[in-house]
Amino acid sequence: MSPVSDAAQIASRELPARTLADQVRWRLNRLRCMTPAEVPFRVFRTIAAHLGSFRPLRSHVPACDREPPSDRWIHVPEGLDPAPYVAAADRIAGGT
C-alpha cells in the first residue's frame, strides 16, 4: 500500500471517545512537560484567542481605495485558436 492510502485508512478509523478523566490527564501531562516560561505564554494566548470572538464586529467597511486595473496582465493575441489549449486542459482535468 502507498503511504497516502495508509494515512487515509488511519484517519478514517473511529477514535475512541475521550473521557473527561483522559482530557484532564492529557492537560496535566502537557503542563508538566512545558517550561515555566511557556505556561503563561500559552495561557495569555488562549485568553486572547477567546476574547477576540467577543469583540464587536465592525459596522462599517471602508471603501476600496483603488480601482481595478483596466489593462490585462496576460495579453492574448487576436485570432488565437483556443481549441488546442482547451483540449489540453480537458486531458489534464481528466487525469490522462
Side-chain angles (χ1 to χ4, degrees), residues 1 16 21 27 30 40-41 48-49 60 67 70 72 77 82-83 88 92-94:
M1 272 195 180
R27 291 222 185 256
R30 181 68 186 108
F41 168 78
H60 177 287
E67 294 297 320
S70 60
R72 297 181 193 165
I92 291 170

Side-chain angles (χ1 to χ4, degrees), residues 23-77:
Q23 292 175 359
V24 169
R25 189 177 307 114
W26 183 87
R27 291 222 185 256
L28 288 175
N29 185 49
R30 181 68 186 108
L31 283 170
R32 186 181 58 82
C33 295
M34 287 184 194
T35 62
E38 187 179 3
V39 174
F41 168 78
R42 293 205 181 260
V43 167
F44 290 129
R45 192 172 70 171
T46 302
I47 290 171
H50 287 287
L51 288 180
S53 61
F54 291 116
R55 238 182 346 184
L57 298 175
R58 265 192 170 177
S59 61
H60 177 287
V61 176
C64 181
D65 62 347
R66 295 184 198 175
E67 294 297 320
S70 60
D71 57 333
R72 297 181 193 165
W73 59 279
I74 296 178
H75 301 284
V76 180

